[in-house]
Amino acid sequence: MKTQWNDAPGGFHPASAPDFLPRRELERLQLGRLQSVVARAFERVPLFRRRMEEKGLRPDAVKALPDLAKLPFTVKTDLRDTYPFGLFASPMEEIVRLHASSGTTGKPIVVAYTDADLQVWTSVMVRTFAACGLHKGDVIQNAYGYGLFTGGLGAHYGGEALGATVIPISGGNTERQLMVLQDFNVTAICCTPSYMVHLIERAKDAKIGFGRLKVGVFGAEPWSESMRHHIEQETGIKAYDIYGLSEIIGPGVGIECAQQDGLHLFEDHFYPEIIDPKTGAVLPDGAEGELVLTTLSKQAMPMIRYRTRDITAIHAEPCPCGRTIRRIRRIGRRSDDMFIIRGVNVFPSQVETALLQVEGTLPHYQIVLSRVKGLDEMEVQVEVTPEVFSDTIGSLESLQRKLADAIDHVVGIRVKVHLVAPRTIARSEGKAKRVLDQRNI
Ligand code: DLL
């Protein structure tokens, strides 16, 4: 095949062909894959079989794509309850890789891949990088953590298969990251957006730039449009949002294209539904709800109707980039991220959006939750820029008021804002921990 994609950034990569399938062809492919994966899970995963039988269903109930809505959901606790290998649909000798995701409590969840699963993963990561305009000749600094976390190895093999040069630097060691970035002529970086903010700060300290860097592939945690603006302004690169989760495959479930307006889901492998999180009912395209994903081709650990807890909406309208695979809106919220302050639902991402609208602060903040006389309270700690910090008390007070106003405007409640000196909030090398929950202390 002629590899024109070598010459033009953003050009076509052959692996991306499924991104552009005519809808009917895509749906035919999806249905065939769905029927086989449901049959496989029914035959090989006792928990899934039991749930199907409880509903009086057999795999032949899936005659068309909408029939998926009849099938039982899978939830995170199913992975915990069957720890470590209870949901595997392949014998151990066919499993060539395990990853694990640390849970908030106790045992992690374990995910498995056959050789064919790894090939699919690599192909969706190639499509991911291609959608960001990367190709052979690019130099990718992969600062996602290598190890049990899926970010490092997932991006790694995709980058290599793309034909790019991959630097497997993993997370952390910020000085070295900046040195490599300059010296190895890095053109793309993969890390969490919060770590990129940290790199920007340290590069500024060292009075160095970002060399040939042109693209960032940032994900694994929610980040706001204002955060994107900050990163792009400070570095001159294009910052793309990448989505994924261990239970489904890892990174490579969805990616933004050059439009940066929603994430295309590789729905020939991961079938999306949006449900009402309370009733479980499937919602139409455009409606906001919980994203539910079904792996259409996974062998080792098929996930049927996995409830991601990520809140988004499907955009069905065509994308100017020409991809026919549907898009989801950027994920700013998880249903389990929410807390209730004085009767108002609050998501951490709303706080970020509000803070970054106000000049004089840095994108480093922490939300501290506490319980006072049985009621939940929230305080927002925000770092201010060194210039503002050395300013008069009066200007700090005015900034504090502006921030409280901005939060009030976005979230709808007045909360305490505490300005802190630059470099006082812990920096993360991977996923940032934005909420410090002291309610049960
Ligand atoms: O974070 C996989 C990944 C690695 C994705 C590298 C992107 C880049 P988990 O550790 O299992 O897997 O966490 C998955 O992180 O359900 C979301 O809540 C959140 N998340 C991931 N990407 C995004 C994103 C990896 N772009 C969980 N925006 C998911 C918002 C995200 N949230």
Side-chain angles (χ1 to χ4, degrees):
M1 190 177 297
K2 193 164 176 271
T3 52
Q4 304 141 321
W5 45 277
N6 281 351
D7 316 324
F12 183 72
H13 189 288
S16 299
D19 296 7
F20 300 90
L21 279 180
R23 273 311 300 177
R24 280 179 63 183
E25 208 175 305
L26 174 65
E27 284 169 12
R28 216 170 25 239
L29 179 74
Q30 287 172 320
L31 179 61
R33 287 184 176 169
L34 177 64
Q35 288 168 328
S36 346
V37 80
V38 169
R40 182 180 181 91
F42 187 85
E43 279 156 26
R44 298 175 181 223
V45 183
L47 179 88
F48 180 67
R49 187 189 191 105
R50 200 184 68 232
R51 295 229 174 111
M52 287 284 279
E53 285 173 347
E54 278 165 9
K55 286 177 162 262
L57 292 171
R58 297 190 52 82
D60 61 10
V62 182
K63 298 202 164 52
L65 286 172
D67 292 331
L68 181 58
K70 299 178 191 161
L71 307 190
F73 291 116
T74 307
V75 292
K76 188 147 194 156
T77 47
D78 293 334
L79 283 103
R80 295 236 166 82
D81 297 346
T82 55
Y83 174 88
F85 303 153
L87 296 184
F88 289 10
S90 296
M92 214 52 205
E93 58 271 23
E94 281 173 23
I95 286 170
V96 298
R97 176 95 65 79
L98 295 175
H99 280 281
S101 145
S102 51
T104 34
T105 47
K107 301 275 192 195
I109 57 149
V110 182
V111 295
Y113 307 76
T114 62
D115 191 36
D117 293 336
L118 289 183
Q119 285 175 34
V120 168
W121 195 8
T122 296
S123 75
V124 288
M125 280 308 301
V126 170
R127 291 160 68 181
T128 294
F129 288 131
C132 302
L134 299 175
H135 50 104
K136 189 180 168 97
D138 273 301
V139 181
I140 302 176
Q141 180 157 338
N142 185 15
Y144 282 122
Y146 280 65
L148 288 179
F149 179 51
T150 54
L153 288 178
H156 180 99
Y157 287 108
E160 284 186 356
L162 181 79
T165 308
V166 179
I167 307 170
I169 192 161
S170 195
N173 201 338
T174 305
E175 302 299 312
R176 191 176 56 186
Q177 299 272 358
L178 293 172
M179 180 193 75
V180 165
L181 209 138
Q182 295 271 326
D183 296 351
F184 296 6
N185 295 329
V186 169
T187 58
I189 186 161
C190 303
C191 62
T192 57
S194 53
Y195 190 53
M196 188 61 198
V197 168
H198 184 38
L199 286 170
I200 291 171
E201 178 178 63
R202 295 283 284 276
K204 251 190 176 164
D205 287 349
K207 297 196 171 49
I208 51 175
F210 283 86
R212 296 198 186 162
L213 195 68
K214 59 176 185 185
V215 162
V217 187
F218 304 123
E221 63 184 11
W223 54 307
S224 60
E225 205 49 46
S226 344
M227 186 72 101
R228 184 198 329 254
H229 189 69
H230 170 81
I231 294 173
E232 292 190 338
Q233 286 280 99
E234 293 289 321
T235 57
I237 68 171
K238 236 178 143 166
Y240 291 95
D241 191 11
I242 174 175
Y243 171 71
L245 61 165
S246 321
E247 295 87 327
I248 297 303
I249 203 149
V253 175
I255 185 70
E256 286 180 330
C257 62
Q259 302 294 319
Q260 293 178 305
D261 180 21
L263 294 94
H264 288 280
L265 287 182
F266 296 114
E267 58 169 318
D268 49 323
H269 293 296
F270 317 113
Y271 191 85
E273 296 168 281
I274 298 288
I275 62 159
D276 176 331
K278 290 206 182 77
T279 64
V282 177
L283 301 176
D285 283 352
E288 180 179 277
E290 178 179 347
L291 177 65
V292 170
L293 291 168
T294 296
T295 58
L296 297 179
S297 46
K298 268 272 222 58
Q299 292 184 338
M301 209 168 130
M303 281 286 135
I304 312 290
R305 305 198 83 202
Y306 182 71
R307 291 189 59 161
T308 65
R309 295 177 292 179
D310 294 321
I311 306 292
T312 181
I314 294 178
H315 289 308
E317 61 274 18
C319 182
C321 78
R323 282 181 177 74
T324 49
I325 49 174
R326 286 173 291 174
R327 284 172 291 168
I328 51 166
R329 206 178 58 204
R330 288 183 83 184
I331 292 167
R333 306 168 173 194
R334 286 178 61 86
S335 55
D336 52 357
D337 254 3
M338 191 189 85
F339 39 88
I340 300 174
I341 305 290
R342 281 174 259 140
V344 177
N345 296 348
V346 184
F347 290 93
S349 58
Q350 293 176 298
V351 174
E352 178 174 305
T353 301
L355 296 179
L356 293 183
Q357 285 168 0
V358 180
E359 247 180 75
T361 58
L362 293 164
H364 300 290
Y365 65 93
Q366 192 164 41
I367 299 168
V368 183
L369 299 178
S370 56
R371 192 157 286 156
V372 186
K373 294 189 188 132
L375 286 180
D376 288 351
E377 281 298 334
M378 157 177 148
E379 178 186 284
V380 182
Q381 300 179 344
V382 198
E383 275 186 20
V384 294
T385 57
E387 302 80 56
V388 170
F389 193 66
S390 56
D391 233 340
T392 59
I393 302 280
S395 64
L396 285 175
E397 276 171 1
S398 128
L399 178 61
Q400 207 162 8
R401 232 183 352 263
K402 274 192 207 147
L403 289 167
D405 287 346
I407 296 172
D408 194 351
H409 186 71
V410 176
V411 184
I413 46 161
R414 195 96 201 152
V415 299
K416 208 155 127 201
V417 174
H418 185 64
L419 299 180
V420 298
R423 313 296 156 94
T424 33
I425 290 174
R427 304 293 189 253
S428 79
E429 291 173 354
K431 297 180 190 247
K433 199 166 160 19
R434 302 289 189 196
V435 180
L436 185 65
D437 195 346
Q438 301 181 328
R439 286 175 297 182
N440 294 317
I441 294 176

